Every structure is written in structure tokens, then in C-alpha cells.
Amino acid sequence: MDPSSASSTIPTVTQRDQWMVESQVFQIFQLFSSIPQTAQSLMLELQRDNHITYLTKSLSHLPPSFSVLDANRPWLCYWIIHSIALLGESLDYQIQHNAIDFLNRCQDPNGGYAGGPGQMPHLATTYAAVNALITLGGQKALASINRDKLYGFLRRMKQPNGGFRMHDEGEIDARACYTAISVASVLNILDDELIKNVGDYILSCQTYEGGIAGEPGAEAHGGYTFCGLAAMVLIGEVNRLDLPRLVDWVVFRQGKECGFQGRTNKLVDGCYSFWQGGAVALLQRLYSVVEEQLAEASQISPKSDVAEEEQESLYGTSRNATCHFTHGGTGEPGFSDFKNIGYNFINEWRARDPLFHSIALQQYILLCSQEQEGGLRDKPGKRRDHYHTCYCLSGLSLCQYSWSKNPDSPPLPKVVLGPYSNLLEPIHPLYNIVLERYREAHEFFFVES
Ligand SMILES: CC(C)=CCC/C(C)=C/CC/C(C)=C/COP(=O)(O)OP(=O)(O)O
Ligand SMILES: [Zn+2]
């Protein structure tokens, strides 16, 4: 699926499709369990060098302007540059220079980034370009982002119902809310005007299943669930969602193939290692709010040992619907500083045990999604691509750090499947940016400017 074009099709998965995928995956697992341990270690090895070769080759040959991928080039930049950063590799100076220059040519004179030079600015490619530039890092890349104009573009996309349009006259959905709020948050241009009624819009997308849909009345989907949940965290209104129901929906999307599916009755796919895995990673850190909601529902006092005040400052409180941290509900200015939510979220790491099977997911990614020659894919039988490489690696990183209580302490070897050399760089789960690059950008946009 392509995140820049977003209509949800009616599920067409048959029992036969499901059996085919299951049997392919189980054959791989069976082969794996029948071979000696040394051969198993080889099968579980992350083919780091081959992934780097696949990715760097593609970056130096971005599709020319007539290509069908024309409107996707900032995405390609992000998927590739982020994957390389996850793998702990740095880019050649000339390639970095070319990428900054290309993204700058995609920047619209009135703000935002388009899919290619001279095209119409779009929220999805704006998110991709901003994340790519932050990942490239350094003064030249960060200073190339025209934040004043970008703010104007975000305001132009803002809708009275609280949502955002993807582009002028474009669709309004949960993806647009996330991409707008994510870039505003990371660039320190988030304000009450942008936040206004976003929470109401996203709340109206949470479905009876518990997951979040692209728009009100549609089907819950992993991609939109990540977007809706992350946006709600970033605006300080996550407590307004029905979190226990959300946890319930997302954890049941991890199937017997060990990977995640995007929605009920659909096939497992490596990219949901991030979209669903990311949502579970966020929920893991929000668990005290989940417990609070559960306790409220059953009138039992919460089990959480986290100080109540600390919780309120980050996530609001679920005890009243228009709590002091809820923007848009009361119209009162928030007491808490929503601008620092992204930063505090990562620093106040108090992880519970993961809410999903992180070793099983690593097994799916390494054995079923990984191509030995480099690149990662949706599932066995599919071809590698940059989108799946990016989101499989992002999901793998989330798994590896899912047991860590502290973002700066390396994971124990037993939670990293395969050799310890498989370890990737940690990411900021709200933005999907490598943590170290996020920190540099935070310093640049919050401290220095
Ligand atoms: C930041 C950003 C732009 C996020 C995008 C989020 C995202 C992945 C949304 C999903 C969109 C969608 C309609 C998928 C269904 O595809 P499908 O029917 O091909 O796949 P499925 O069978 O797995 O549901
Ligand atoms: Zn996919």
C-alpha cells in the first residue's frame, strides 16, 4: 500500500489467500527449526551490508521526473535515508548535498513540500521531506526548512471540523492530522490554532472495534491507528480515546504468522511491524493511562505506581472529559506545555513489558520479510521495495528496544533475535526518526532558535 494515496478497499481476502500465506510462512519456520543452530544463526542474521548497498544504490539513482514515482520522491528520500540511519550508516557528502538540494526544490514558495519540483505541496510529502531533512541533520539541512511558510501551509490545510486536508481541495483524514501535527511538533511551530478540534476529529474515527479509521465511519486500520494515536499523544489528548479497546484491537492484529495484519481478516504484512508495532509501542508507554481508564470503568483504584501529577502533565487525565490538558474542549489555554510532549515522551521512558510478542515479530521480519540480497518486503513471494524496507526496519528497531526501561541503555542480548550485531539504532516512536537525529533537531528548533 502507498501511504500517499489512501482509500481503503473492501477486504477481498479469501480463506485460500490466508492458507497460502500461512503455509509459506510455516514452511520457512519449519525449515528454520529443522536446521542446526549455526545455520539458524545465519538465517536470523540481518543482512546489513546488502541492505546498505540496496539502499545507497537507489538513492544515487532517484527516478527521473517522468517516472511514475515522480510524486513520491520525498518519500523515497525518507524511506531510504531513514533506513540507512537505522542501520547506523552515514551517507556520502555528495549524496547528502544532492538530497538537501532536491528536497529544497520540492519546497513550495508558499510553504510545504510537493512530490517533485514545481508540483502542488502535499502534507504526506511534507512529512516525508521534513523527516528526511532531520535525518540528514546538520545546519544546512535543518535551516533549509522554511518554518514560517510551512506554518502558513498547515493553517491553509486546517479545516473547521478539526481535521486537515492532505492538499488544496484534497481529502481530510487521520493521516493528514498526523502528518500536520507531527511536522508542527518536531519543528516547534505547533500552536492552539493547529490543535483546535483535532482531538474531536480523531475521536470520531475510533471505531467499534477499537482501532482508528482514516475517516469517520470507515474501517479501523493499522496505518490510521498509528496516525490517530500518535497525533492524540502529540496534542495532549490521548486520554480521550478509549485506550483499553484500542489495546485490545491492536494486540489481536499480531497473528500466528508472528507478524501484524493491518486490519481484521486481512493478510500479514511486514510494513505493519511499524504501523501496528508503533501503536503498541506508544500504548506500552501510556499504560498507566490505560490502567486509569480501566480502573475508572470498574471503579477500582489504578494499580499504576507512576505519580499522578506526572501522568497528568504528559497525557492529561481521564477523570474528566475536558481536563486541563485538553485543547479544544473548554477553549481555555492548556496549563501544560504541549510543545514539549514529543521530547518528554521519549525522556520519561517508563516502559512496561511489551504488549506484543516482540521476538515473534523479529522472527517474521528476519525470516519472512528480509531478502538475503538486501531490502525487505511485505511477505514471502513479494518483491522488496523501499517502503517495506523502511517500515520493516523501523518495526525491528522498536522490537529490539521494547524491553528497555531507558532510551539510552542498550538492550539485553536475549531480547534481540539473532546475533547482537542485528541491533539497529533506536527511533523516536512518535515521529519515526532515529533518536539521535531527533535530538539534534530538537536542539536546533527548540534551544537555538
Ligand atoms: C504517515 C502516513 C502518511 C501514514 C500512512 C498510514 C497508512 C499506512 C495508511 C493505510 C492506508 C490504506 C488504505 C491501506 C490499505 O491498503 P491495502 O488494502 O492494500 O492493505 P491491507 O490489505 O493490509 O489493509
Ligand atoms: Zn505493506
Side-chain angles (χ1 to χ4, degrees):
M1 94 87 247
D2 169 1
S4 57
S5 64
S7 55
S8 195
T9 55
I10 295 169
T12 51
V13 175
T14 61
Q15 195 62 43
R16 192 166 165 274
D17 294 330
Q18 179 60 33
W19 283 335
M20 297 251 294
V21 174
E22 269 177 36
S23 82
Q24 270 176 310
V25 168
F26 293 160
Q27 268 174 36
I28 294 173
F29 292 167
Q30 218 156 29
L31 168 75
F32 176 76
S33 51
S34 68
I35 58 177
Q37 223 174 350
T38 43
Q40 285 187 343
S41 309
L42 282 177
M43 261 182 98
L44 289 174
E45 203 173 305
L46 182 71
Q47 299 302 318
R48 195 178 285 269
D49 291 347
N50 293 350
H51 297 319
I52 291 169
T53 308
Y54 164 65
L55 292 159
T56 39
K57 255 194 202 152
S58 319
L59 198 56
S60 31
H61 301 103
L62 276 180
S65 56
F66 51 78
S67 154
V68 284
L69 291 171
D70 182 37
N72 250 352
R73 281 180 293 168
W75 271 119
L76 281 173
C77 289
Y78 168 59
W79 296 332
I80 297 172
I81 292 167
H82 177 56
S83 300
I84 291 173
L86 276 164
L87 290 159
E89 186 70 7
S90 49
L91 279 169
D92 173 274
Y93 174 79
Q94 192 58 44
I95 294 182
Q96 287 191 47
H97 170 83
N98 292 349
I100 298 169
D101 178 61
F102 171 73
L103 292 169
N104 208 23
R105 285 188 288 118
C106 294
Q107 190 163 205
D108 189 82
N110 291 319
Y113 291 79
Q119 297 179 16
M120 177 196 277
H122 192 289
L123 270 175
T125 41
T126 296
Y127 166 82
V130 167
N131 276 11
L133 287 162
I134 290 176
T135 308
L136 286 164
Q139 162 81 22
K140 197 165 128 199
L142 300 177
S144 75
I145 305 169
N146 188 334
R147 290 192 299 156
D148 289 347
K149 293 282 185 196
L150 181 40
Y151 178 76
F153 170 62
L154 297 178
R155 286 295 300 272
R156 202 166 83 235
M157 296 304 109
K158 179 80 186 169
Q159 299 302 304
N161 68 356
F164 287 83
R165 283 196 191 281
M166 288 307 286
H167 55 88
D168 282 323
E169 295 176 37
E171 64 275 32
I172 305 169
D173 61 29
R175 223 174 16 137
C177 293
Y178 168 67
T179 48
I181 296 296
S182 173
V183 296
S185 163
V186 79
L187 297 176
N188 193 15
I189 52 174
L190 189 60
D191 68 3
D192 285 318
E193 289 305 315
L194 291 175
I195 287 180
K196 203 167 175 180
N197 299 336
V198 171
D200 294 345
Y201 182 80
I202 292 172
L203 209 55
S204 70
C205 296
Q206 186 168 24
T207 79
Y208 70 94
E209 285 191 283
I212 299 172
E215 52 196 309
E219 184 187 3
H221 191 283
Y224 298 118
T225 297
F226 173 81
C227 289
L229 178 62
M232 286 300 253
V233 174
L234 288 170
I235 63 172
E237 297 185 26
V238 74
N239 59 304
R240 297 181 65 197
L241 289 166
D242 184 339
L243 294 177
R245 217 184 242 275
L246 183 43
V247 170
D248 205 43
W249 179 80
V250 75
V251 298
F252 279 105
R253 303 284 68 78
Q254 187 172 25
K256 40 183 184 281
E257 304 89 340
C258 298
F260 278 98
Q261 62 182 181
R263 45 187 165 143
T264 313
N265 291 328
K266 296 241 41 198
L267 302 175
V268 63
D269 177 342
C271 67
Y272 300 122
S273 307
F274 177 76
W275 300 117
Q276 303 284 30
V280 200
L282 299 180
L283 289 164
Q284 181 183 349
R285 283 176 223 206
L286 296 168
Y287 210 71
S288 54
V289 191
V290 178
E291 283 182 321
E292 206 177 303
Q293 289 190 356
L294 283 169
E296 229 171 65
S298 61
Q299 301 295 312
I300 301 167
S301 57
K303 273 188 265 147
S304 171
D305 54 358
V306 179
E308 211 167 273
E309 282 162 37
E310 273 177 57
Q311 284 304 313
E312 290 186 10
S313 69
L314 259 183
Y315 317 122
T317 170
S318 61
R319 274 189 306 274
N320 62 66
T322 52
C323 65
H324 67 244
F325 200 51
T326 303
H327 291 259
T330 58
E332 290 168 22
F335 294 115
S336 300
D337 183 4
F338 58 77
K339 283 179 179 262
N340 278 318
I341 291 178
Y343 188 71
N344 294 341
F345 192 78
I346 202 70
N347 287 325
E348 299 194 18
W349 187 303
R350 44 176 108 87
R352 308 282 159 121
D353 293 350
L355 302 170
F356 68 113
H357 201 312
S358 87
I359 290 289
L361 184 57
Q362 293 179 64
Q363 181 169 316
Y364 180 81
I365 297 169
L366 293 168
L367 296 183
C368 303
S369 281
Q370 175 169 236
E371 288 204 13
Q372 294 298 308
E373 302 71 31
L376 292 99
R377 62 191 176 195
D378 164 345
K379 57 173 71 60
K382 296 271 183 177
R383 287 170 65 102
R384 67 184 178 185
D385 62 62
H386 299 109
Y387 166 76
H388 285 94
T389 301
C390 166
Y391 290 107
C392 288
L393 290 178
S394 304
L396 186 60
S397 167
L398 285 176
C399 291
Q400 293 172 338
Y401 293 89
S402 63
W403 290 89
S404 308
K405 301 271 177 225
N406 175 330
D408 294 311
S409 58
L412 293 173
K414 68 175 182 198
V415 306
V416 176
L417 187 65
Y420 199 68
S421 57
N422 279 2
L423 190 64
L424 296 169
E425 295 297 316
I427 56 170
H428 191 309
L430 287 168
Y431 308 104
N432 198 12
I433 295 174
V434 163
L435 200 50
E436 177 213 341
R437 312 294 166 94
Y438 164 78
R439 286 192 170 132
E440 185 198 339
H442 185 268
E443 184 81 11
F444 188 87
F445 295 120
F446 284 72
V447 183
E448 288 169 22
S449 60

